[in-house]
């Protein structure tokens, strides 16, 4: 049973870079077949997909965030990471990592528990 | 981008009621439509994928239908644990979620 767990600072200063890591357990990123995504949810609001990475390192980002987002993968640690630069208060949200089947419906079938990130000085 | 809308934005229902939530895409997405349930403070949970396929472990009272631009999530007999917010999501192109439908107790 694959499980995902987000980690990283809960407080980031404006203009700095938000960095989060998702650790995958119970399965291997290297085995392929899945996209590894970051999704966020502003307080009391809906869900926004940020981007995904494949085990090979290929990425696809939400065009609305593309200029500030970098997603990377470390297969040796079975982790993937998010960096969001030049953050503002509008980036305050719960950040989730999630996986989706790359060849089928691409629905997000496994989610981490989420981590709250607040942008404030 | 393909935008998603949901209706209603909220509804009140009683245990045992049949509940229907509608999701509409701004252009055809074939059957690339997924439904999620989210409870407060929890991550979303996949209920239905590919418009009508029930995710493993999800009760059969949940069902999905539709294709193209119009989709429906139906809960045949609402249970106490079903009070939550429901989101549709298209996976045809850049993933995009609907705004959600909150189901609360009447």
């Amino acid at each position: 049973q694959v499980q995902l767990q987000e980690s990283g600072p809960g407080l980031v200063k404006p203009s700095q870079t938000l960095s989060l890591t998702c650790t995958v357990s119970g399965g291997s990123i290297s085995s392929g077949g899945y996209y590894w995504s970051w999704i966020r949810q502003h307080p009391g609001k809906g869900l926004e997909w940020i981007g995904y990475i494949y085990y090979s390192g290929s990425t696809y980002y939400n065009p609305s965030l593309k200029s500030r987002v970098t997603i990377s993968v470390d297969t040796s640690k079975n982790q993937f990471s998010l960096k969001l630069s030049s953050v503002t208060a509008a980036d305050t949200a719960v950040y989730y990592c999630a996986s989706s089947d790359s060849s089928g419906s691409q629905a997000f079938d496994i989610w981490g528990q989420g981590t709250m990130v607040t942008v404030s000085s | 981008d393909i935008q998603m809308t949901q209706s209603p934005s909220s509804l009140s229902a009683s245990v045992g009621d049949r509940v229907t939530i509608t999701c509409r895409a701004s252009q055809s997405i074939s059957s690339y439509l997924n439904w999620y349930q989210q409870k407060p403070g929890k991550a979303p949970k996949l209920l239905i994928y590919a418009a009508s396929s029930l995710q493993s472990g999800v009760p059969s009272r949940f069902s999905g239908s539709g294709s193209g631009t119009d989709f429906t999530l139906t809960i045949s007999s609402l249970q106490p644990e079903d009070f939550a917010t429901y989101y549709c999501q298209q996976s045809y192109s850049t993933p995009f979620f609907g705004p959600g439908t909150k189901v609360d107790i009447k």
Side-chain angles (χ1 to χ4, degrees):
Chain A
Q1 178 77 354
V2 174
Q3 293 185 312
L4 307 179
Q5 177 69 58
E6 305 89 351
S7 60
L11 181 64
V12 181
K13 288 182 167 50
S15 80
Q16 293 190 343
T17 296
L18 178 160
S19 297
L20 296 174
T21 295
C22 183
T23 300
V24 180
S25 59
S28 173
I29 289 178
S30 298
S31 63
Y34 285 89
Y35 294 130
W36 305 95
S37 283
W38 288 97
I39 296 164
R40 70 181 182 179
Q41 186 169 34
H42 295 102
K45 302 295 184 183
L47 298 156
E48 179 180 33
W49 176 78
I50 298 170
Y52 69 57
I53 192 164
Y54 196 53
Y55 80 99
S56 60
S58 61
T59 54
Y60 180 36
Y61 300 140
N62 188 327
S64 68
L65 295 167
K66 186 176 180 179
S67 63
R68 297 194 292 130
V69 172
T70 302
I71 298 177
S72 58
V73 64
D74 186 336
T75 54
S76 67
K77 294 182 178 178
N78 219 27
Q79 295 175 334
F80 62 104
S81 298
L82 168 71
K83 290 189 184 299
L84 182 65
S85 64
S86 305
V87 298
T88 69
D91 296 307
T92 294
V94 176
Y95 286 77
Y96 295 100
C97 55
S99 67
S100 57
D101 180 353
S102 63
S103 61
S105 66
Q106 299 182 29
F108 301 108
D109 57 348
I110 301 173
W111 295 67
Q113 65 184 24
T115 187
M116 180 69 200
V117 178
T118 300
V119 178
S120 175
S121 55
Chain B
D1 287 354
I2 299 175
Q3 308 294 314
M4 308 300 294
T5 58
Q6 285 183 238
S7 61
S9 57
S10 65
L11 66 90
S12 296
S14 301
V15 173
D17 283 353
R18 181 181 181 89
V19 170
T20 299
I21 298 169
T22 297
C23 177
R24 176 166 289 174
S26 59
Q27 64 188 75
S28 177
I29 56 171
S30 184
S31 295
Y32 288 89
L33 191 283
N34 311 303
W35 289 98
Y36 302 84
Q37 175 195 67
Q38 187 179 33
K39 296 181 179 179
K42 301 293 187 182
K45 173 187 173 183
L46 178 63
L47 299 176
I48 301 287
Y49 63 94
S52 60
S53 295
L54 192 67
Q55 175 70 354
S56 176
V58 174
S60 59
R61 63 181 179 273
F62 291 93
S63 64
S65 65
S67 66
T69 60
D70 294 319
F71 302 87
T72 299
L73 173 70
T74 299
I75 309 172
S76 60
S77 178
L78 197 67
Q79 297 302 300
E81 60 268 30
D82 300 338
F83 292 98
T85 300
Y86 293 85
Y87 294 95
C88 63
Q89 175 247 329
Q90 63 88 0
S91 51
Y92 181 83
S93 62
T94 302
F96 198 93
F97 292 86
T101 296
K102 184 176 182 180
V103 177
D104 61 20
I105 301 172
K106 194 172 194 177

